[in-house]
Amino acid sequence: MTTTTDPLVSTDWLAAHLDDPTVRILDASFKLPGVTPLPREDFLGAHIPGSAFFDVDVISDHGLSLPHMFPSEGHFAEGVGALSVSNAHTVVIYDAGGWVAGPRAWWMFLAFGHTDVRVLDGGLQKWRAEGRAIESGEVDPVPARYTASFDQGFVRSRQQVVANLDSRAAQLVDARPQPRFEGSVPEPRAGLRSGHIPGSRNVPYAKLFDAATGTMKPLGELRAAFKDAGVDLDRPIVTTCGSGVSALVLTLALYRLGVRGTALYDGSWADWGQADGPPVASGPA
C-alpha cells in the first residue's frame, strides 16, 4: 500500500487503518542510557492497539561494542519477521513523542529495502492527547517471513567520516543539543570526550518539531533551520548525533524537503568521541 510521498502519516490516517491487515504498527521508542522506566516497560503500560515493540538495541549488531549499530540482513529480517512484518506490509512506526527514535527505525527499513514505511506524526504523545484508544500488556505477534537487502549507501563508517575531514565532499550535520555539540557539557555516555566532529554543523533535532503537539514543523520552518545552520541542501549530507538515533530526525526532515541520498554516521559520537578517537572540535560551528 502506498499513501503519499510524505514519509509521515497522521493520527487520523492511522486510526482509520488500525484494522487494515496490510498495515503493521511498530513502537520504536528509545531513551538515553540510565533513563527509566525502560521503553519496553512503557510499551507494556500503554501502546497503540495492534502494535509491536521494535527494540533498536535488540535489532542491532551485538558483535560490536558500540550501541545499536546496524545489524546484518539476516538479523534484521529475523527481528522484524518476529514482529509479524512481511515485505508486503505497509509499516507505520511511532515513538513515545519527542521524535527520538521513530525515524531511526524508518531509516533502517529503508536501508534494508523496505520502501513502504511511514512515521506517525506526533507519535504516541499526539495519539493519547486526542483521547484515542490504547492497549497495555504483552503482545504475541504471529511471525512472518521477511527478506532484507541492505544498501550500504545509507550509512557511513568512522573511516569514511575521517576521510571526509580532508575532502569535505559531504556536510556533517549534528543533531545533538547545542551544549553537547559545543562541548560545554559532558556526554551522557561515560568515557566520551566532549565536542563535535571538525567542520560539522549543528541542527538540534528538537528544533524540528513542536514540543506542545509533538508534530513535525512545517516545511518552511524545517528549511530555515538547516539554512540558519549553514547547511546547503543541494550538497551531500551525512547526519550524526550521540549514537545514531536522533540524527535520523534530521534525515526525516531532509527527506520531507525532497533531499535524497543522505547517509547516517551509524557510530556517531559514541564512536568518534572515544578517548582514542579522531580529532575533536569545540565551541560554535
Side-chain angles (χ1 to χ4, degrees):
M1 176 189 297
T2 301
T3 54
T4 173
T5 55
D6 192 331
L8 299 184
V9 294
S10 67
T11 50
D12 284 341
W13 186 94
L14 185 58
H17 289 81
L18 282 183
D19 297 321
D20 187 335
T22 69
V23 173
R24 289 291 182 269
I25 308 167
L26 301 179
D27 182 331
S29 297
F30 169 82
K31 295 179 180 179
L32 287 170
V35 179
T36 57
L38 298 175
R40 177 166 176 79
E41 294 170 344
D42 288 338
F43 174 83
L44 294 176
H47 54 262
I48 293 175
S51 59
F53 185 65
F54 181 101
D55 192 330
V56 70
D57 287 316
V58 170
I59 304 178
S60 64
D61 188 338
H62 298 159
L64 299 174
S65 60
L66 296 171
H68 40 254
M69 295 288 282
F70 264 60
S72 66
E73 292 177 343
H75 189 53
F76 182 81
E78 179 183 8
V80 301
L83 300 179
S84 197
V85 178
S86 77
N87 296 87
H89 283 119
T90 294
V91 178
V92 178
I93 297 165
Y94 72 91
D95 55 35
W99 289 98
V100 177
R104 164 74 187 206
W106 163 78
W107 194 244
M108 290 178 73
F109 271 94
L110 288 178
F112 284 102
H114 197 114
T115 58
D116 197 359
V117 56
R118 303 289 184 270
V119 178
L120 179 64
D121 194 14
L124 187 62
Q125 173 187 341
K126 187 171 188 288
W127 183 270
R128 298 192 72 172
E130 294 169 346
R132 299 184 188 273
I134 60 169
E135 292 181 342
S136 61
E138 292 280 0
V139 299
D140 189 20
V142 178
R145 178 178 174 80
Y146 193 93
T147 302
S149 179
F150 182 55
D151 183 342
Q152 186 69 42
F154 279 72
V155 298
R156 294 290 184 271
S157 66
R158 181 202 283 195
Q159 291 76 14
Q160 289 172 307
V161 178
V162 167
N164 192 72
L165 291 177
D166 292 327
S167 71
R168 298 295 171 98
Q171 303 165 95
L172 269 289
V173 189
D174 193 321
R176 292 176 300 157
Q178 184 177 348
R180 288 175 61 190
F181 177 84
E182 295 184 349
S184 61
V185 298
E187 283 293 301
R189 287 183 170 79
L192 296 180
R193 297 172 293 167
S194 296
H196 59 264
I197 300 171
S200 57
R201 301 289 183 172
N202 185 210
V203 179
Y205 75 91
K207 285 188 174 182
L208 304 182
F209 63 89
D210 184 327
T213 64
T215 56
M216 188 164 271
K217 290 183 177 179
L219 297 184
E221 294 183 38
L222 299 181
R223 188 174 288 106
F226 288 101
K227 181 180 179 181
D228 291 348
V231 180
D232 183 348
L233 301 186
D234 293 323
R235 292 186 54 225
I237 294 172
V238 174
T239 60
T240 182
C241 59
S243 64
V245 177
S246 62
L248 279 315
V249 182
L250 274 58
T251 303
L252 179 67
L254 290 165
Y255 199 95
R256 296 193 68 217
L257 291 170
V259 177
R260 300 292 185 269
T262 68
L264 165 72
Y265 174 21
D266 194 20
S268 284
W269 199 253
D271 181 27
W272 195 277
Q274 294 182 48
D276 60 350
V280 167
S282 60

